[in-house]
Amino acid sequence: MPMRLALEDYLGAIGVGVAEMLDAHARAGATARVPTCPAWTADQLLAHQAMVHRWAAGNVRGSGSGVPITQTRILAEVADLRGYLREGADALLAAIAAADGDLRAMVFLNDAPPPRLFWARRQAHETTIHAVDARAAALGRVPTAAEVEIPTELALDGIDELLLGFQTRGRRTSPLFDGSDVTFTVRPTDAAASWTVQVRDGPLVVEGVAGPVQPALTGTAVQLYLGLWNRGSEIVETGGLGLMDRWRDVRVRWS
């Protein structure tokens, strides 16, 4: 799987995402609903992210892959949720910065990078996407790509991770499969990048290049990033297969 960014870029993205999440949470209010995660309030979103950061840091430090404290316990026991999120993010950043380049740790994506880079990258996108969720809570609706400050290269890297790492894993058949094989491309309009996706009975087969294939999903890199993470609705689909309608059922799982 390609790596478009350096370790420092991923760590920076984590820090930016946390700051944006806290800013949006303050504007939204603790009990605001999160349109992109309808089951959650803004406080539940922060608790989830605080839990994930601690889980990731535990993997990097080698102190165990078990979740150290559940989201439910965080909400019940932590008085300063915002401070708790900052504390967990700082601990994660410190753990990754202190880790050796040849760190041995659990990874869970297909064709994953080495563990230190894996965890930096995974948490960069985890935090960036949940910052978008916090922005949605503040706005009361799904944000547009123009309303989030996501660099093009980070978005492209996140599409790589989602398509090449998550969607090619395991034995599950993708919700995109409706009984007939189909091939489509994902093509940003603002970057020299593209992906060819083969849908069949089984996991997706994805190549990090595109041929002359229709149908296609197009948009800016950030529009594609948000839309493929089910956080946006600005992807343009050609070919008439209703792929984006089916994509709404695509779920991202840790394992």
Side-chain angles (χ1 to χ4, degrees):
M1 197 194 315
M3 300 289 294
R4 297 179 185 268
L5 302 173
L7 177 69
E8 293 75 16
D9 298 317
Y10 295 123
L11 299 182
I14 294 170
V16 168
V18 169
E20 291 181 353
M21 192 177 299
L22 289 170
D23 177 71
H25 176 271
R27 288 184 286 114
T31 61
R33 305 307 302 185
V34 182
T36 46
C37 298
W40 286 351
T41 64
D43 265 7
Q44 288 171 316
L45 173 65
L46 256 62
H48 169 80
Q49 187 63 84
M51 177 269 290
V52 173
H53 282 164
R54 284 165 171 78
W55 173 71
N59 278 284
V60 173
R61 290 193 301 263
S63 56
S65 59
V67 176
I69 180 172
T70 66
Q71 181 175 326
T72 300
R73 280 187 57 201
I74 291 170
L75 287 167
E77 299 175 11
V78 174
D80 180 10
L81 188 58
R82 294 167 57 80
Y84 191 73
L85 176 66
R86 281 191 294 265
E87 178 186 89
D90 288 345
L92 171 64
L93 292 171
I96 295 173
D100 292 333
D102 59 354
L103 171 72
R104 295 174 66 98
M106 182 268 287
V107 298
F108 54 83
L109 292 186
N110 192 28
D111 193 22
R116 188 186 190 211
L117 276 172
F118 168 86
W119 283 106
R121 180 195 216 186
R122 177 79 290 281
Q123 291 310 301
H125 293 299
E126 175 86 9
T127 309
T128 298
I129 288 297
H130 283 319
V132 173
D133 293 331
R135 180 70 61 92
L139 292 171
R141 57 172 172 79
V142 177
T144 66
E147 291 173 316
V148 298
E149 297 180 3
I150 299 176
T152 296
E153 282 299 311
L154 181 64
L156 293 172
D157 185 82
I159 298 169
D160 278 331
E161 188 198 50
L162 180 61
L163 292 181
L164 296 168
F166 276 106
Q167 298 304 321
T168 58
R169 297 183 306 165
R171 299 179 180 178
R172 293 190 186 94
T173 296
S174 170
L176 298 179
F177 182 70
D178 65 353
S180 300
D181 293 357
V182 65
T183 300
F184 66 94
T185 59
V186 176
R187 295 201 298 267
T189 57
D190 60 345
S194 55
W195 298 261
T196 297
V197 182
Q198 299 175 36
V199 182
R200 60 186 186 182
D201 188 6
L204 299 182
V205 177
V206 184
E207 298 178 4
V209 294
V213 177
Q214 291 286 356
L217 304 179
T218 61
T220 67
V222 177
Q223 287 171 339
L224 289 169
Y225 180 57
L226 295 180
L228 293 174
W229 275 99
N230 286 320
R231 263 68 176 191
S233 57
E234 298 176 281
I235 291 178
V236 176
E237 178 180 346
T238 57
L241 295 179
L243 292 169
M244 287 309 300
D245 289 337
R246 283 180 264 161
W247 190 274
R248 294 188 185 96
D249 294 324
V250 173
R251 294 291 179 264
V252 172
R253 297 175 174 87
W254 291 344
S255 60

